[in-house]
Amino acid sequence: MKKNHNKPLEASRFAYDGLDRVIHERARLSVLTSLISHSKGQHFGELKQLCGLTDGNLNRHLTVLEDAKLIVISKGVEHNRPQTTCRITPLGRKRYIEYLAVLEQVILDASSAVHARDPLATRSG
Amino acid sequence: MKKNHNKPLEASRFAYDGLDRVIHERARLSVLTSLISHSKGQHFGELKQLCGLTDGNLNRHLTVLEDAKLIVISKGVEHNRPQTTCRITPLGRKRYIEYLAVLEQVILDASSAVHARDPLATRSG
């Protein structure tokens, strides 16, 4: 890694390493936000509708989340029809809350810039 | 599209369609948050450091942002060395602010769920 020869900068101030890629992807962020709001679980159809996803898309993202152990998927029968239920795990909840803290930092950083134009401007053009 | 035969649900409550994929990608979110905080522009090296990116990665994401007309990239010479400067455009600023409003909604939705466990729980098993 090359050394920095310029004036010292707050290193990686905007890197947001905590924006976990498994959670940050838009569809998975939808799914997890829905599941954390329904901690006893949601049926596949309900989740699909609330997140605005197709069957295929939802299935694909559920697999990623299950592989990461952030959710559990259980299959059963309800009213004589097969029913898939998804739940967030304690690990999923922990990781989501950590992710949320970083997201809040992005909002803080951005809001201060948006609401007070040019406060940190460092270049003259 | 199949009709919904279940109880009415607030349609796509957690879809977050406004999470623009060009902006939402983590590295590009870093770059845009840094650039909106430095509205007169940032040099390539400074941006790279603040966002914790490699030359190749930053170049790749800058191209995506430039193609979407969210930033402009200008090349010049400063102190006899070539210098690349990046700036957010008015369109970039507008789109970023719209994105931020959706991000704030995610935080609101999630925070209420995280801070008050099980308020919307709809499944018993």
Side-chain angles (χ1 to χ4, degrees), chain A residues 10 12-14 17 24 26 30 37 39-41 46 49-50 87 93 96 110 117-118 120 123 125, chain B residues 10 12-15 17 24 26 30 37 39-41 46 49-50 87 93 96 110 117-118 120 123 125:
Chain A
E10 196 181 337
S12 304
R13 170 78 184 78
F14 295 98
D17 288 330
H24 190 62
R26 188 177 76 179
S30 289
S37 301
S39 60
K40 292 189 177 174
E46 186 184 14
Q49 187 178 352
L50 283 171
R87 287 183 196 77
R93 187 177 175 84
Y96 184 92
R117 287 191 78 142
D118 300 14
L120 303 172
R123 296 282 169 255
Chain B
E10 196 180 336
S12 303
R13 170 79 183 78
F14 295 98
D17 288 330
H24 190 62
R26 188 176 77 178
S30 290
S37 301
S39 60
K40 291 188 179 174
E46 185 183 15
Q49 187 178 351
L50 282 171
R87 288 182 196 77
R93 188 176 175 83
Y96 184 91
R117 286 192 78 141
D118 300 15
L120 302 173
R123 299 280 169 254

mmCIF file of all heavy atoms in Angstrom, chain A residues 10 12-14 17 24 26 30 37 39-41 46 49-50 87 93 96 110 117-118 120 123 125, chain B residues 10 12-15 17 24 26 30 37 39-41 46 49-50 87 93 96 110 117-118 120 123 125:
data_model
loop_
_atom_site.group_PDB
_atom_site.id
_atom_site.type_symbol
_atom_site.label_atom_id
_atom_site.label_comp_id
_atom_site.label_asym_id
_atom_site.label_seq_id
_atom_site.Cartn_x
_atom_site.Cartn_y
_atom_site.Cartn_z
ATOM 1 N N GLU A 10 -8.881 12.447 7.633
ATOM 2 C CA GLU A 10 -9.535 11.468 8.486
ATOM 3 C C GLU A 10 -9.706 10.217 7.626
ATOM 4 O O GLU A 10 -10.496 10.199 6.689
ATOM 5 C CB GLU A 10 -10.883 12.025 8.942
ATOM 6 C CG GLU A 10 -11.469 11.284 10.123
ATOM 7 C CD GLU A 10 -12.818 11.873 10.511
ATOM 8 O OE1 GLU A 10 -13.075 13.038 10.186
ATOM 9 O OE2 GLU A 10 -13.605 11.146 11.118
ATOM 10 N N SER A 12 -10.521 7.137 5.562
ATOM 11 C CA SER A 12 -11.714 6.379 5.192
ATOM 12 C C SER A 12 -12.973 6.849 5.910
ATOM 13 O O SER A 12 -13.833 6.046 6.275
ATOM 14 C CB SER A 12 -11.484 4.886 5.464
ATOM 15 O OG SER A 12 -10.337 4.460 4.777
ATOM 16 N N ARG A 13 -13.062 8.125 6.070
ATOM 17 C CA ARG A 13 -14.218 8.758 6.734
ATOM 18 C C ARG A 13 -15.557 8.321 6.155
ATOM 19 O O ARG A 13 -16.557 8.223 6.854
ATOM 20 C CB ARG A 13 -14.028 10.274 6.572
ATOM 21 C CG ARG A 13 -15.164 11.164 6.958
ATOM 22 C CD ARG A 13 -15.220 11.328 8.447
ATOM 23 N NE ARG A 13 -16.381 12.130 8.822
ATOM 24 C CZ ARG A 13 -17.605 11.658 8.870
ATOM 25 N NH1 ARG A 13 -17.818 10.412 8.590
ATOM 26 N NH2 ARG A 13 -18.616 12.429 9.223
ATOM 27 N N PHE A 14 -15.575 8.083 4.827
ATOM 28 C CA PHE A 14 -16.833 7.753 4.156
ATOM 29 C C PHE A 14 -16.877 6.307 3.651
ATOM 30 O O PHE A 14 -17.650 5.984 2.758
ATOM 31 C CB PHE A 14 -17.070 8.726 2.986
ATOM 32 C CG PHE A 14 -17.272 10.158 3.410
ATOM 33 C CD1 PHE A 14 -16.226 11.062 3.379
ATOM 34 C CD2 PHE A 14 -18.512 10.594 3.857
ATOM 35 C CE1 PHE A 14 -16.406 12.382 3.777
ATOM 36 C CE2 PHE A 14 -18.705 11.918 4.264
ATOM 37 C CZ PHE A 14 -17.642 12.810 4.227
ATOM 38 N N ASP A 17 -17.638 0.650 6.067
ATOM 39 C CA ASP A 17 -17.361 -0.786 5.968
ATOM 40 C C ASP A 17 -18.469 -1.634 6.592
ATOM 41 O O ASP A 17 -18.654 -2.786 6.217
ATOM 42 C CB ASP A 17 -16.029 -1.121 6.671
ATOM 43 C CG ASP A 17 -14.847 -0.611 5.869
ATOM 44 O OD1 ASP A 17 -14.960 -0.541 4.627
ATOM 45 O OD2 ASP A 17 -13.813 -0.268 6.483
ATOM 46 N N HIS A 24 -27.193 -5.107 2.686
ATOM 47 C CA HIS A 24 -27.360 -3.830 1.986
ATOM 48 C C HIS A 24 -28.094 -3.947 0.644
ATOM 49 O O HIS A 24 -28.756 -3.002 0.216
ATOM 50 C CB HIS A 24 -25.981 -3.175 1.788
ATOM 51 C CG HIS A 24 -26.035 -1.756 1.287
ATOM 52 N ND1 HIS A 24 -26.630 -0.734 2.009
ATOM 53 C CD2 HIS A 24 -25.583 -1.175 0.141
ATOM 54 C CE1 HIS A 24 -26.524 0.393 1.320
ATOM 55 N NE2 HIS A 24 -25.899 0.161 0.188
ATOM 56 N N ARG A 26 -30.701 -4.149 -2.062
ATOM 57 C CA ARG A 26 -32.018 -3.561 -1.836
ATOM 58 C C ARG A 26 -33.118 -4.567 -1.490
ATOM 59 O O ARG A 26 -33.874 -4.362 -0.532
ATOM 60 C CB ARG A 26 -32.444 -2.733 -3.055
ATOM 61 C CG ARG A 26 -33.711 -1.951 -2.783
ATOM 62 C CD ARG A 26 -34.095 -1.071 -3.945
ATOM 63 N NE ARG A 26 -34.686 -1.822 -5.026
ATOM 64 C CZ ARG A 26 -35.125 -1.271 -6.158
ATOM 65 N NH1 ARG A 26 -34.996 0.030 -6.342
ATOM 66 N NH2 ARG A 26 -35.659 -2.001 -7.095
ATOM 67 N N SER A 30 -35.139 -4.959 2.086
ATOM 68 C CA SER A 30 -36.607 -4.986 2.185
ATOM 69 C C SER A 30 -37.062 -6.176 3.019
ATOM 70 O O SER A 30 -37.846 -6.036 3.952
ATOM 71 C CB SER A 30 -37.237 -5.105 0.787
ATOM 72 O OG SER A 30 -37.081 -3.918 0.062
ATOM 73 N N SER A 37 -39.753 -6.425 11.506
ATOM 74 C CA SER A 37 -41.011 -5.819 11.944
ATOM 75 C C SER A 37 -42.065 -6.876 12.282
ATOM 76 O O SER A 37 -43.126 -6.549 12.788
ATOM 77 C CB SER A 37 -41.567 -4.902 10.851
ATOM 78 O OG SER A 37 -40.639 -3.891 10.539
ATOM 79 N N SER A 39 -41.508 -10.220 13.989
ATOM 80 C CA SER A 39 -40.467 -11.113 14.501
ATOM 81 C C SER A 39 -40.950 -12.542 14.728
ATOM 82 O O SER A 39 -40.130 -13.434 14.946
ATOM 83 C CB SER A 39 -39.838 -10.538 15.767
ATOM 84 O OG SER A 39 -40.838 -10.385 16.742
ATOM 85 N N LYS A 40 -42.265 -12.767 14.674
ATOM 86 C CA LYS A 40 -42.724 -14.152 14.787
ATOM 87 C C LYS A 40 -42.798 -14.846 13.431
ATOM 88 O O LYS A 40 -43.180 -16.011 13.333
ATOM 89 C CB LYS A 40 -44.068 -14.209 15.507
ATOM 90 C CG LYS A 40 -43.936 -13.814 16.975
ATOM 91 C CD LYS A 40 -45.183 -14.052 17.775
ATOM 92 C CE LYS A 40 -44.926 -13.687 19.244
ATOM 93 N NZ LYS A 40 -46.152 -13.765 20.040
ATOM 94 N N GLY A 41 -42.437 -14.117 12.390
ATOM 95 C CA GLY A 41 -42.368 -14.742 11.072
ATOM 96 C C GLY A 41 -43.418 -14.228 10.107
ATOM 97 O O GLY A 41 -44.430 -13.640 10.510
ATOM 98 N N GLU A 46 -47.007 -13.167 1.824
ATOM 99 C CA GLU A 46 -47.119 -11.862 2.478
ATOM 100 C C GLU A 46 -45.823 -11.063 2.284
ATOM 101 O O GLU A 46 -45.828 -9.873 1.941
ATOM 102 C CB GLU A 46 -47.388 -12.101 3.967
ATOM 103 C CG GLU A 46 -47.666 -10.852 4.767
ATOM 104 C CD GLU A 46 -47.841 -11.156 6.273
ATOM 105 O OE1 GLU A 46 -47.492 -12.277 6.712
ATOM 106 O OE2 GLU A 46 -48.313 -10.264 6.978
ATOM 107 N N GLN A 49 -45.419 -9.810 -1.234
ATOM 108 C CA GLN A 49 -46.242 -8.635 -1.530
ATOM 109 C C GLN A 49 -45.686 -7.380 -0.861
ATOM 110 O O GLN A 49 -45.541 -6.331 -1.493
ATOM 111 C CB GLN A 49 -47.671 -8.883 -1.066
ATOM 112 C CG GLN A 49 -48.612 -7.754 -1.499
ATOM 113 C CD GLN A 49 -50.052 -8.023 -1.085
ATOM 114 O OE1 GLN A 49 -50.374 -9.111 -0.614
ATOM 115 N NE2 GLN A 49 -50.901 -7.031 -1.276
ATOM 116 N N LEU A 50 -45.339 -7.501 0.409
ATOM 117 C CA LEU A 50 -44.839 -6.331 1.149
ATOM 118 C C LEU A 50 -43.523 -5.820 0.574
ATOM 119 O O LEU A 50 -43.226 -4.637 0.637
ATOM 120 C CB LEU A 50 -44.661 -6.668 2.632
ATOM 121 C CG LEU A 50 -45.950 -6.703 3.458
ATOM 122 C CD1 LEU A 50 -45.679 -7.262 4.850
ATOM 123 C CD2 LEU A 50 -46.551 -5.305 3.585
ATOM 124 N N ARG A 87 -38.452 -16.430 9.172
ATOM 125 C CA ARG A 87 -38.239 -15.698 10.430
ATOM 126 C C ARG A 87 -36.807 -15.190 10.482
ATOM 127 O O ARG A 87 -35.896 -15.843 9.997
ATOM 128 C CB ARG A 87 -38.429 -16.605 11.655
ATOM 129 C CG ARG A 87 -39.846 -16.987 11.949
ATOM 130 C CD ARG A 87 -39.934 -17.837 13.231
ATOM 131 N NE ARG A 87 -41.230 -18.492 13.265
ATOM 132 C CZ ARG A 87 -41.562 -19.563 12.536
ATOM 133 N NH1 ARG A 87 -40.677 -20.124 11.721
ATOM 134 N NH2 ARG A 87 -42.768 -20.071 12.613
ATOM 135 N N ARG A 93 -30.965 -10.546 13.599
ATOM 136 C CA ARG A 93 -31.383 -9.349 14.323
ATOM 137 C C ARG A 93 -30.164 -8.527 14.760
ATOM 138 O O ARG A 93 -30.131 -7.315 14.581
ATOM 139 C CB ARG A 93 -32.202 -9.803 15.540
ATOM 140 C CG ARG A 93 -32.842 -8.692 16.282
ATOM 141 C CD ARG A 93 -33.704 -9.190 17.433
ATOM 142 N NE ARG A 93 -34.181 -8.047 18.165
ATOM 143 C CZ ARG A 93 -35.242 -7.344 17.832
ATOM 144 N NH1 ARG A 93 -35.966 -7.694 16.794
ATOM 145 N NH2 ARG A 93 -35.597 -6.269 18.508
ATOM 146 N N TYR A 96 -28.470 -7.015 11.682
ATOM 147 C CA TYR A 96 -29.312 -5.945 11.116
ATOM 148 C C TYR A 96 -29.170 -4.672 11.953
ATOM 149 O O TYR A 96 -29.070 -3.573 11.414
ATOM 150 C CB TYR A 96 -30.769 -6.410 11.072
ATOM 151 C CG TYR A 96 -31.682 -5.408 10.412
ATOM 152 C CD1 TYR A 96 -31.942 -5.479 9.041
ATOM 153 C CD2 TYR A 96 -32.262 -4.385 11.137
ATOM 154 C CE1 TYR A 96 -32.767 -4.543 8.433
ATOM 155 C CE2 TYR A 96 -33.084 -3.448 10.528
ATOM 156 C CZ TYR A 96 -33.337 -3.543 9.172
ATOM 157 O OH TYR A 96 -34.146 -2.617 8.572
ATOM 158 N N ALA A 110 -24.726 12.768 5.490
ATOM 159 C CA ALA A 110 -25.338 13.356 4.309
ATOM 160 C C ALA A 110 -26.243 14.523 4.676
ATOM 161 O O ALA A 110 -26.211 15.565 4.023
ATOM 162 C CB ALA A 110 -26.140 12.290 3.571
ATOM 163 N N ARG A 117 -25.164 23.799 2.831
ATOM 164 C CA ARG A 117 -24.356 23.660 1.604
ATOM 165 C C ARG A 117 -22.931 24.157 1.797
ATOM 166 O O ARG A 117 -22.691 25.186 2.422
ATOM 167 C CB ARG A 117 -25.007 24.430 0.455
ATOM 168 C CG ARG A 117 -26.257 23.732 -0.056
ATOM 169 C CD ARG A 117 -26.723 24.364 -1.349
ATOM 170 N NE ARG A 117 -25.917 23.932 -2.479
ATOM 171 C CZ ARG A 117 -26.427 23.684 -3.678
ATOM 172 N NH1 ARG A 117 -27.707 23.816 -3.900
ATOM 173 N NH2 ARG A 117 -25.642 23.311 -4.657
ATOM 174 N N ASP A 118 -22.012 23.386 1.231
ATOM 175 C CA ASP A 118 -20.603 23.763 1.138
ATOM 176 C C ASP A 118 -19.849 23.930 2.445
ATOM 177 O O ASP A 118 -18.843 24.626 2.469
ATOM 178 C CB ASP A 118 -20.458 25.080 0.362
ATOM 179 C CG ASP A 118 -21.002 24.966 -1.029
ATOM 180 O OD1 ASP A 118 -21.718 23.984 -1.343
ATOM 181 O OD2 ASP A 118 -20.706 25.847 -1.830
ATOM 182 N N LEU A 120 -17.956 21.936 4.054
ATOM 183 C CA LEU A 120 -16.652 21.267 4.069
ATOM 184 C C LEU A 120 -15.915 21.426 2.748
ATOM 185 O O LEU A 120 -14.952 20.720 2.493
ATOM 186 C CB LEU A 120 -16.841 19.770 4.371
ATOM 187 C CG LEU A 120 -17.557 19.424 5.677
ATOM 188 C CD1 LEU A 120 -17.841 17.938 5.759
ATOM 189 C CD2 LEU A 120 -16.706 19.842 6.872
ATOM 190 N N ARG A 123 -12.202 22.594 -2.331
ATOM 191 C CA ARG A 123 -11.595 22.895 -3.633
ATOM 192 C C ARG A 123 -12.231 24.174 -4.176
ATOM 193 O O ARG A 123 -13.410 24.414 -4.019
ATOM 194 C CB ARG A 123 -11.872 21.759 -4.618
ATOM 195 C CG ARG A 123 -11.231 20.443 -4.217
ATOM 196 C CD ARG A 123 -9.734 20.414 -4.535
ATOM 197 N NE ARG A 123 -9.110 19.272 -3.926
ATOM 198 C CZ ARG A 123 -8.344 19.351 -2.838
ATOM 199 N NH1 ARG A 123 -8.077 20.517 -2.262
ATOM 200 N NH2 ARG A 123 -7.814 18.256 -2.336
ATOM 201 N N GLY A 125 -12.278 24.972 -7.414
ATOM 202 C CA GLY A 125 -12.787 24.808 -8.776
ATOM 203 C C GLY A 125 -11.683 24.386 -9.670
ATOM 204 O O GLY A 125 -11.838 24.281 -10.839
ATOM 205 N N GLU B 10 -50.951 -3.575 3.237
ATOM 206 C CA GLU B 10 -50.452 -2.328 2.674
ATOM 207 C C GLU B 10 -49.460 -2.724 1.581
ATOM 208 O O GLU B 10 -48.394 -3.249 1.876
ATOM 209 C CB GLU B 10 -49.773 -1.516 3.782
ATOM 210 C CG GLU B 10 -49.563 -0.063 3.433
ATOM 211 C CD GLU B 10 -48.882 0.687 4.569
ATOM 212 O OE1 GLU B 10 -48.993 0.238 5.714
ATOM 213 O OE2 GLU B 10 -48.239 1.697 4.286
ATOM 214 N N SER B 12 -46.729 -3.517 -0.908
ATOM 215 C CA SER B 12 -45.307 -3.213 -1.074
ATOM 216 C C SER B 12 -44.781 -2.210 -0.054
ATOM 217 O O SER B 12 -43.942 -1.373 -0.366
ATOM 218 C CB SER B 12 -45.039 -2.696 -2.491
ATOM 219 O OG SER B 12 -45.477 -3.643 -3.426
ATOM 220 N N ARG B 13 -45.269 -2.341 1.158
ATOM 221 C CA ARG B 13 -44.887 -1.454 2.260
ATOM 222 C C ARG B 13 -43.367 -1.362 2.449
ATOM 223 O O ARG B 13 -42.831 -0.334 2.828
ATOM 224 C CB ARG B 13 -45.549 -2.035 3.521
ATOM 225 C CG ARG B 13 -45.146 -1.477 4.847
ATOM 226 C CD ARG B 13 -45.837 -0.163 5.087
ATOM 227 N NE ARG B 13 -45.387 0.412 6.339
ATOM 228 C CZ ARG B 13 -44.231 1.036 6.469
ATOM 229 N NH1 ARG B 13 -43.448 1.176 5.428
ATOM 230 N NH2 ARG B 13 -43.878 1.567 7.628
ATOM 231 N N PHE B 14 -42.668 -2.475 2.187
ATOM 232 C CA PHE B 14 -41.225 -2.512 2.424
ATOM 233 C C PHE B 14 -40.406 -2.602 1.125
ATOM 234 O O PHE B 14 -39.256 -3.036 1.154
ATOM 235 C CB PHE B 14 -40.874 -3.705 3.339
ATOM 236 C CG PHE B 14 -41.439 -3.590 4.728
ATOM 237 C CD1 PHE B 14 -42.615 -4.249 5.075
ATOM 238 C CD2 PHE B 14 -40.820 -2.806 5.691
ATOM 239 C CE1 PHE B 14 -43.148 -4.142 6.365
ATOM 240 C CE2 PHE B 14 -41.346 -2.695 6.982
ATOM 241 C CZ PHE B 14 -42.511 -3.364 7.308
ATOM 242 N N ALA B 15 -41.022 -2.197 0.007
ATOM 243 C CA ALA B 15 -40.324 -2.372 -1.282
ATOM 244 C C ALA B 15 -39.175 -1.377 -1.472
ATOM 245 O O ALA B 15 -38.161 -1.697 -2.077
ATOM 246 C CB ALA B 15 -41.306 -2.261 -2.440
ATOM 247 N N ASP B 17 -38.720 1.208 -3.452
ATOM 248 C CA ASP B 17 -38.360 1.372 -4.867
ATOM 249 C C ASP B 17 -37.417 2.564 -5.082
ATOM 250 O O ASP B 17 -36.658 2.587 -6.037
ATOM 251 C CB ASP B 17 -39.624 1.575 -5.716
ATOM 252 C CG ASP B 17 -40.422 0.283 -5.842
ATOM 253 O OD1 ASP B 17 -39.794 -0.804 -5.810
ATOM 254 O OD2 ASP B 17 -41.652 0.358 -5.965
ATOM 255 N N HIS B 24 -27.283 3.241 -4.454
ATOM 256 C CA HIS B 24 -27.322 2.376 -3.269
ATOM 257 C C HIS B 24 -26.074 1.493 -3.109
ATOM 258 O O HIS B 24 -25.709 1.156 -1.984
ATOM 259 C CB HIS B 24 -28.589 1.509 -3.327
ATOM 260 C CG HIS B 24 -28.865 0.751 -2.058
ATOM 261 N ND1 HIS B 24 -29.105 1.371 -0.847
ATOM 262 C CD2 HIS B 24 -28.939 -0.595 -1.800
ATOM 263 C CE1 HIS B 24 -29.320 0.451 0.086
ATOM 264 N NE2 HIS B 24 -29.223 -0.744 -0.462
ATOM 265 N N ARG B 26 -22.678 0.129 -2.256
ATOM 266 C CA ARG B 26 -21.935 0.695 -1.128
ATOM 267 C C ARG B 26 -20.815 1.661 -1.510
ATOM 268 O O ARG B 26 -20.717 2.758 -0.940
ATOM 269 C CB ARG B 26 -21.367 -0.427 -0.268
ATOM 270 C CG ARG B 26 -20.756 0.116 1.008
ATOM 271 C CD ARG B 26 -20.287 -0.996 1.914
ATOM 272 N NE ARG B 26 -19.027 -1.560 1.452
ATOM 273 C CZ ARG B 26 -18.372 -2.536 2.086
ATOM 274 N NH1 ARG B 26 -18.890 -3.063 3.163
ATOM 275 N NH2 ARG B 26 -17.224 -2.988 1.629
ATOM 276 N N SER B 30 -20.657 5.719 -0.785
ATOM 277 C CA SER B 30 -19.514 6.373 -0.137
ATOM 278 C C SER B 30 -19.060 7.579 -0.950
ATOM 279 O O SER B 30 -18.897 8.681 -0.421
ATOM 280 C CB SER B 30 -18.331 5.402 -0.028
ATOM 281 O OG SER B 30 -18.582 4.398 0.908
ATOM 282 N N SER B 37 -20.613 16.250 0.453
ATOM 283 C CA SER B 37 -20.031 16.968 1.586
ATOM 284 C C SER B 37 -18.919 17.928 1.140
ATOM 285 O O SER B 37 -18.417 18.708 1.938
ATOM 286 C CB SER B 37 -19.442 15.985 2.605
ATOM 287 O OG SER B 37 -20.428 15.105 3.076
ATOM 288 N N SER B 39 -18.890 20.051 -2.021
ATOM 289 C CA SER B 39 -19.615 20.324 -3.262
ATOM 290 C C SER B 39 -18.770 21.058 -4.304
ATOM 291 O O SER B 39 -19.166 21.162 -5.451
ATOM 292 C CB SER B 39 -20.901 21.083 -2.968
ATOM 293 O OG SER B 39 -20.583 22.291 -2.334
ATOM 294 N N LYS B 40 -17.622 21.579 -3.913
ATOM 295 C CA LYS B 40 -16.758 22.202 -4.925
ATOM 296 C C LYS B 40 -15.822 21.191 -5.573
ATOM 297 O O LYS B 40 -15.023 21.535 -6.427
ATOM 298 C CB LYS B 40 -15.971 23.371 -4.312
ATOM 299 C CG LYS B 40 -16.895 24.539 -3.975
ATOM 300 C CD LYS B 40 -16.154 25.773 -3.547
ATOM 301 C CE LYS B 40 -17.166 26.885 -3.246
ATOM 302 N NZ LYS B 40 -16.492 28.084 -2.678
ATOM 303 N N GLY B 41 -15.908 19.948 -5.135
ATOM 304 C CA GLY B 41 -15.132 18.903 -5.785
ATOM 305 C C GLY B 41 -14.049 18.299 -4.903
ATOM 306 O O GLY B 41 -13.646 18.885 -3.903
ATOM 307 N N GLU B 46 -7.823 12.040 -2.770
ATOM 308 C CA GLU B 46 -8.528 12.351 -1.525
ATOM 309 C C GLU B 46 -9.788 11.489 -1.399
ATOM 310 O O GLU B 46 -10.077 10.899 -0.358
ATOM 311 C CB GLU B 46 -8.896 13.839 -1.535
ATOM 312 C CG GLU B 46 -9.519 14.356 -0.262
ATOM 313 C CD GLU B 46 -9.922 15.834 -0.366
ATOM 314 O OE1 GLU B 46 -9.987 16.375 -1.506
ATOM 315 O OE2 GLU B 46 -10.184 16.439 0.675
ATOM 316 N N GLN B 49 -9.002 7.878 -0.642
ATOM 317 C CA GLN B 49 -8.662 7.650 0.762
ATOM 318 C C GLN B 49 -9.888 7.725 1.664
ATOM 319 O O GLN B 49 -10.117 6.852 2.503
ATOM 320 C CB GLN B 49 -7.614 8.678 1.200
ATOM 321 C CG GLN B 49 -7.089 8.384 2.604
ATOM 322 C CD GLN B 49 -6.021 9.380 3.033
ATOM 323 O OE1 GLN B 49 -5.553 10.186 2.231
ATOM 324 N NE2 GLN B 49 -5.637 9.310 4.292
ATOM 325 N N LEU B 50 -10.704 8.751 1.468
ATOM 326 C CA LEU B 50 -11.880 8.935 2.327
ATOM 327 C C LEU B 50 -12.874 7.791 2.167
ATOM 328 O O LEU B 50 -13.608 7.455 3.090
ATOM 329 C CB LEU B 50 -12.562 10.270 2.018
ATOM 330 C CG LEU B 50 -11.890 11.509 2.606
ATOM 331 C CD1 LEU B 50 -12.517 12.780 2.048
ATOM 332 C CD2 LEU B 50 -11.994 11.512 4.131
ATOM 333 N N ARG B 87 -16.795 16.118 -9.155
ATOM 334 C CA ARG B 87 -17.822 16.969 -8.531
ATOM 335 C C ARG B 87 -19.191 16.339 -8.716
ATOM 336 O O ARG B 87 -19.451 15.720 -9.737
ATOM 337 C CB ARG B 87 -17.870 18.358 -9.191
ATOM 338 C CG ARG B 87 -16.722 19.263 -8.888
ATOM 339 C CD ARG B 87 -16.894 20.616 -9.545
ATOM 340 N NE ARG B 87 -15.609 21.333 -9.544
ATOM 341 C CZ ARG B 87 -14.614 21.076 -10.386
ATOM 342 N NH1 ARG B 87 -14.744 20.161 -11.322
ATOM 343 N NH2 ARG B 87 -13.484 21.751 -10.295
ATOM 344 N N ARG B 93 -27.078 15.734 -7.057
ATOM 345 C CA ARG B 93 -27.523 16.248 -5.762
ATOM 346 C C ARG B 93 -29.018 15.968 -5.541
ATOM 347 O O ARG B 93 -29.431 15.504 -4.480
ATOM 348 C CB ARG B 93 -27.254 17.760 -5.741
ATOM 349 C CG ARG B 93 -27.485 18.395 -4.408
ATOM 350 C CD ARG B 93 -27.113 19.876 -4.415
ATOM 351 N NE ARG B 93 -27.481 20.441 -3.140
ATOM 352 C CZ ARG B 93 -26.729 20.357 -2.051
ATOM 353 N NH1 ARG B 93 -25.549 19.798 -2.099
ATOM 354 N NH2 ARG B 93 -27.167 20.846 -0.905
ATOM 355 N N TYR B 96 -29.578 12.230 -5.117
ATOM 356 C CA TYR B 96 -29.056 11.788 -3.824
ATOM 357 C C TYR B 96 -30.026 12.167 -2.708
ATOM 358 O O TYR B 96 -30.284 11.382 -1.793
ATOM 359 C CB TYR B 96 -27.684 12.417 -3.574
ATOM 360 C CG TYR B 96 -27.027 11.933 -2.303
ATOM 361 C CD1 TYR B 96 -26.179 10.836 -2.317
ATOM 362 C CD2 TYR B 96 -27.279 12.554 -1.083
ATOM 363 C CE1 TYR B 96 -25.584 10.366 -1.150
ATOM 364 C CE2 TYR B 96 -26.698 12.097 0.086
ATOM 365 C CZ TYR B 96 -25.851 11.012 0.050
ATOM 366 O OH TYR B 96 -25.281 10.558 1.209
ATOM 367 N N ALA B 110 -37.365 0.465 10.529
ATOM 368 C CA ALA B 110 -36.556 -0.495 11.261
ATOM 369 C C ALA B 110 -36.443 -0.110 12.724
ATOM 370 O O ALA B 110 -36.561 -0.960 13.609
ATOM 371 C CB ALA B 110 -35.173 -0.580 10.640
ATOM 372 N N ARG B 117 -40.012 -4.409 20.429
ATOM 373 C CA ARG B 117 -40.045 -5.781 19.900
ATOM 374 C C ARG B 117 -41.469 -6.277 19.713
ATOM 375 O O ARG B 117 -42.330 -6.088 20.548
ATOM 376 C CB ARG B 117 -39.288 -6.737 20.831
ATOM 377 C CG ARG B 117 -37.795 -6.558 20.738
ATOM 378 C CD ARG B 117 -37.076 -7.701 21.433
ATOM 379 N NE ARG B 117 -37.057 -8.900 20.616
ATOM 380 C CZ ARG B 117 -36.008 -9.724 20.531
ATOM 381 N NH1 ARG B 117 -34.928 -9.450 21.173
ATOM 382 N NH2 ARG B 117 -36.069 -10.793 19.789
ATOM 383 N N ASP B 118 -41.666 -6.950 18.577
ATOM 384 C CA ASP B 118 -42.906 -7.675 18.282
ATOM 385 C C ASP B 118 -44.180 -6.830 18.178
ATOM 386 O O ASP B 118 -45.267 -7.372 18.348
ATOM 387 C CB ASP B 118 -43.152 -8.750 19.352
ATOM 388 C CG ASP B 118 -42.030 -9.758 19.402
ATOM 389 O OD1 ASP B 118 -40.963 -9.492 18.840
ATOM 390 O OD2 ASP B 118 -42.242 -10.812 19.973
ATOM 391 N N LEU B 120 -45.694 -5.667 15.643
ATOM 392 C CA LEU B 120 -46.504 -5.977 14.462
ATOM 393 C C LEU B 120 -46.552 -7.476 14.214
ATOM 394 O O LEU B 120 -46.922 -7.913 13.139
ATOM 395 C CB LEU B 120 -45.914 -5.273 13.233
ATOM 396 C CG LEU B 120 -45.806 -3.753 13.332
ATOM 397 C CD1 LEU B 120 -45.053 -3.197 12.144
ATOM 398 C CD2 LEU B 120 -47.183 -3.105 13.414
ATOM 399 N N ARG B 123 -47.729 -13.712 13.294
ATOM 400 C CA ARG B 123 -47.750 -15.172 13.234
ATOM 401 C C ARG B 123 -47.527 -15.739 14.626
ATOM 402 O O ARG B 123 -46.693 -15.235 15.368
ATOM 403 C CB ARG B 123 -46.658 -15.693 12.291
ATOM 404 C CG ARG B 123 -46.811 -15.230 10.880
ATOM 405 C CD ARG B 123 -47.865 -16.065 10.141
ATOM 406 N NE ARG B 123 -48.183 -15.446 8.865
ATOM 407 C CZ ARG B 123 -49.302 -14.789 8.622
ATOM 408 N NH1 ARG B 123 -50.245 -14.672 9.534
ATOM 409 N NH2 ARG B 123 -49.501 -14.264 7.433
ATOM 410 N N GLY B 125 -46.675 -19.069 15.181
ATOM 411 C CA GLY B 125 -45.767 -20.205 15.236
ATOM 412 C C GLY B 125 -44.527 -19.909 14.494
ATOM 413 O O GLY B 125 -43.713 -20.758 14.254
#
